[in-house]
Amino acid sequence: MMEEQARIMQALSGVTLAGHSVQGGMGLPPPHGHEGTDGDGRKQDIGDILHQIMTITDQSLDEAQAKKHGLNCHRMKPALFSVLCEIKEKTGLSIRGAQEQDPPDPQLMRLDNMLLAEGVSGPEKGGGSAAAAAAAAAAGGGAENSIEHSDYRAKLTQIRQIYHTELEKYEQACNEFTTHVMNLLREQSRTRPISPKEIERMVGIIHRKFSSIQMQLKQSTCEAVMILRSRFLDARRKRRNFSKQATEILNEYFYSHLSNPYPSEEAKEELAKKCSITVSQGVGTTITVSQVSNWFGNKRIRYKKNIGKFQEEANLYAAKTAVTATHAVAAAIHNSQANSPTTPNSGFQMKDEEFQLDSAESKNSLLTNMFTAGSSASFSLPNSGDMFMSMQSLNGASYQGAQVGANVQSQGDTIRHAISQTVGYNDGLRHPMYSPHSLNGNGGWHGAPTPSSVTSPNEGPGSVHSDTSN
DNA sequence: CCACATGATTTAAC
DNA sequence: GTTAAATCATGTGG
């Protein structure tokens, strides 16, 4: 500022002392009414003032203050001041013209948008980290979501806090500096002409400087978020095999719903919870609904692609679930005074002679028991010939309390349907206990049953997660 | 190191 | 939004 002042002074002195009149000065009434006379004396005075100004910096503070005071009281001061004002006006215009309303920096906007999108800037989402976690838990509804994101959230909150404190610091510093400069300018405006516009401009310059610093802060915050994000995503991308129990639960559901392995949203949630619970005893990963969806998606496609490969597994889970079901079946048959429900071979197969499927009484008792028991009853019954049928389609209700009371009539339809099917798969397999009877020839579950039962959360009590088509 | 298993992601259809 | 299908990328057992 001193430099600028000195420069203007120099220019002014050069112009006036050389005898050229300053354009703007013409309009001014000459001070003290000296009206053109005594021109040399005036020049002399101005020369003195300028000289004093030029040398003021070389002197000590006290001396300078004294000089300053002297200058302020100098009789020529008002005249010089108005001349300076004129010049300022002129140059100020050109300055103002050159400096335009700066358009919003696209990069800054991008950073701002990103910070807003990431939740770093913008409205506080719950305040502190504890509150944020609580809010996340409340908003997420599902526990697994907040657990999954809690680490990420904690780190994000940390970044957010740092960002905000830094931003505040910068803002404070900026304001302090601005007021300081403004005070300085106001002080100087007594000795040199400073228009409010100029102060404004100076403030603008300061703000721009500080906002460039802010941009750096924003940029580094963005970088931090990016790093956090990539690390989080990497962690998620990294495949971790499910625990044995979790796989077991999922397989159980899959094979006991083989006719329509499309768990509803509730069923998925249930499964996710179940898998997470069994795993939660250790350090195991929690399993989310989307992971369950992934699992079923993969399972369906891979099962369909190579049914033979999964035959063993299917039998295994058929046996596993059938064993529990057999108890219910046994009780049912016993209660209905049917033939003794001996369970030859693996314990879940029954021969025609031992169990008359045609007996309506037995059948109904069996079904009622199975469904009131709520167990996932998946088992094989012999057809009239040597063929074994899988009846896993009976179990639409295993995981859904709402469907435990699925009506018996539709179950009976299911049985009839299942029996009427021909088991054309797995010719080479010696024990096709589990046959993908509900897969059509084109390979696909979606041909027969309406998938709406998967997506519609509130099924009627009569509907069943099974193949009811003919 | 390899081959295979498997969870996740992408793509396209609905 | 869901799904099938293809694909990616990693885990795992040999």
Side-chain angles (χ1 to χ4, degrees), chain A residues 328-329 331-339 354-370 408 415:
Chain A
V329 172
I333 290 165
H334 189 74
N335 288 344
S336 62
Q337 295 159 348
N339 296 331
E354 292 162 343
F355 179 65
Q356 284 295 353
L357 197 64
D358 287 338
S359 155
E361 193 191 349
S362 300
K363 187 174 75 181
N364 283 338
S365 296
L366 159 68
L367 289 165
T368 310
N369 271 277
M370 276 168 52
V408 173
I415 290 175

Side-chain angles (χ1 to χ4, degrees), chain A residues 174-407:
Chain A
C174 180
N175 284 339
E176 262 173 35
F177 191 71
T178 304
T179 49
H180 181 74
V181 167
M182 273 168 76
N183 284 340
L184 210 67
L185 285 173
R186 257 198 289 275
E187 164 73 18
Q188 286 195 359
S189 71
R190 287 199 349 215
T191 46
R192 70 188 186 96
I194 297 169
S195 64
K197 279 265 190 289
E198 233 182 312
I199 296 177
E200 212 174 278
R201 192 176 133 257
M202 196 55 79
V203 169
I205 289 168
I206 294 164
H207 280 168
R208 267 198 295 284
K209 284 278 175 221
F210 271 90
S211 73
S212 77
I213 296 170
Q214 270 189 14
M215 193 150 105
Q216 279 176 22
L217 171 69
K218 281 175 181 174
Q219 192 142 24
S220 56
T221 305
C222 272
E223 271 169 32
V225 171
M226 291 291 238
I227 289 164
L228 175 65
R229 218 156 200 281
S230 70
R231 202 184 309 168
F232 175 71
L233 287 175
D234 281 353
R236 243 185 16 157
R237 187 184 295 270
K238 203 161 233 172
R239 190 172 67 75
R240 281 200 62 185
N241 287 347
F242 294 162
S243 71
K244 221 164 167 153
Q245 294 112 304
T247 314
E248 215 156 287
I249 287 162
L250 293 169
N251 270 318
E252 235 167 75
Y253 188 96
F254 180 80
Y255 287 111
S256 62
H257 296 73
L258 197 55
S259 64
N260 190 29
Y262 297 87
S264 65
E265 197 55 39
E266 286 100 329
K268 280 182 200 167
E269 274 170 36
E270 197 83 23
L271 285 168
K273 215 193 304 181
K274 234 175 147 180
C275 292
S276 299
I277 285 166
T278 56
V279 114
S280 66
Q281 280 118 8
V283 199
T285 24
T286 60
I287 288 167
T288 67
V289 173
S290 61
Q291 282 179 298
V292 172
S293 298
N294 283 343
W295 191 91
F296 272 90
N298 285 322
K299 191 74 184 178
R300 280 192 298 265
I301 194 73
R302 282 163 187 165
Y303 178 83
K304 206 172 79 177
K305 257 187 178 167
N306 192 354
I307 291 163
K309 200 173 70 183
F310 288 92
Q311 198 62 43
E312 205 176 319
E313 192 178 74
N315 292 337
L316 189 86
Y317 283 100
K320 203 183 278 255
T321 52
V323 163
T324 56
T326 309
H327 298 315
V329 172
I333 290 165
H334 189 74
N335 288 344
S336 62
Q337 295 159 348
N339 296 331
S340 171
T342 50
T343 54
N345 298 335
S346 42
F348 58 95
Q349 291 175 25
M350 287 168 281
K351 290 243 167 76
D352 254 348
E353 315 87 80
E354 292 162 343
F355 179 65
Q356 284 295 353
L357 197 64
D358 287 338
S359 155
E361 193 191 349
S362 300
K363 187 174 75 181
N364 283 338
S365 296
L366 159 68
L367 289 165
T368 310
N369 271 277
M370 276 168 52
F371 285 97
T372 48
S375 64
S376 46
S378 190
F379 60 101
S380 298
L381 286 173
N383 209 344
S384 47
D386 285 329
M387 213 146 18
F388 293 119
M389 279 300 303
S390 76
M391 303 265 290
Q392 68 279 28
S393 53
L394 287 169
N395 310 296
S398 310
Y399 290 93
Q400 293 177 335
Q403 296 192 344
V404 166
N407 78 41

Side-chain angles (χ1 to χ4, degrees), chain A residues 92-113:
Chain A
L93 277 172
S94 63
I95 290 166
R96 271 242 323 269
Q99 173 243 323
E100 252 315 302
Q101 290 281 65
D102 51 339
D105 188 353
Q107 198 185 345
L108 184 65
M109 270 176 66
R110 229 178 42 231
L111 289 172
D112 275 335
N113 284 340

Side-chain angles (χ1 to χ4, degrees), chain A residues 8-79:
Chain A
I8 289 167
M9 294 300 172
Q10 233 162 357
L12 181 62
S13 71
V15 171
T16 37
L17 290 178
H20 299 290
S21 62
V22 178
Q23 243 352 40
M26 293 298 273
L28 278 175
H32 294 151
H34 276 247
E35 306 284 5
T37 61
D38 203 8
D40 279 354
R42 214 172 79 192
K43 278 181 190 166
Q44 188 61 40
D45 284 339
I46 291 170
D48 276 353
I49 293 169
L50 288 170
H51 186 251
Q52 285 181 37
I53 291 168
M54 300 299 273
T55 55
I56 205 165
T57 50
D58 300 333
Q59 299 169 357
S60 75
L61 211 59
D62 283 349
E63 270 180 280
Q65 283 295 336
K67 272 270 163 63
K68 204 168 124 192
H69 184 71
L71 279 168
N72 273 333
C73 298
H74 198 278
R75 65 185 176 90
M76 288 303 289
K77 189 241 174 185

